[in-house]
Amino acid sequence: AGDSRREQFRRYLEKGGVLDMLTKVLVALYEEPEKPNNAMDFLKQHLGTAGPETADVETLRLEVIELRQKYELLLEENKDLKAKLAQFDPPKEEGQPE
């Protein structure tokens, strides 16, 4: 019964491509000329489970804040320019094409 369950599980992994993916990543680690200090990090990175680097996240967070501030300034500038433009545009009369 135990062998049957193992065989079923092996087929399940094989069908899902898990065995192929693990094999490829382990072969890549084996063929790595300079072995990484942390094999688990290597596996996570190559399996796509590693999250973004903390420094990258912080850089992106600061960029988002900066872009939001710039956006607000541009909205204000746009509003001011529209107000100035309205001073020079004669009011449109009804029935006239724009």
Side-chain angles (χ1 to χ4, degrees):
D3 287 340
S4 173
R5 287 183 63 198
R6 284 188 192 133
E7 185 60 28
Q8 286 177 346
F9 186 65
R10 186 191 62 74
R11 282 194 302 262
Y12 164 74
L13 293 176
E14 205 170 73
K15 183 179 176 183
V18 174
L19 291 179
D20 285 339
M21 180 61 75
L22 286 173
T23 302
K24 286 178 186 177
V25 173
L26 290 173
V27 167
L29 178 59
Y30 176 78
E31 293 175 347
E32 191 71 25
E34 291 187 31
K35 302 295 183 241
N37 291 333
N38 190 329
M40 186 59 80
D41 285 345
F42 180 91
L43 293 175
K44 286 179 182 179
Q45 183 178 13
H46 285 79
L47 286 173
T49 59
E53 296 295 320
T54 306
D56 293 341
V57 171
E58 188 57 32
T59 300
L60 291 173
R61 189 182 330 271
L62 291 172
E63 185 177 349
V64 167
I65 291 169
E66 180 183 322
L67 289 172
R68 283 183 179 156
Q69 290 172 345
K70 187 174 182 178
Y71 171 76
E72 293 298 325
L73 289 172
L74 289 172
L75 280 179
E76 190 64 35
E77 181 182 3
N78 185 291
K79 181 180 168 185
D80 292 344
L81 290 172
K82 282 182 178 180
K84 287 180 184 177
L85 183 61
Q87 292 174 356
F88 298 107
D89 269 347
K92 302 265 188 243
E93 293 181 22
E94 288 188 34
Q96 286 188 344
E98 292 186 31

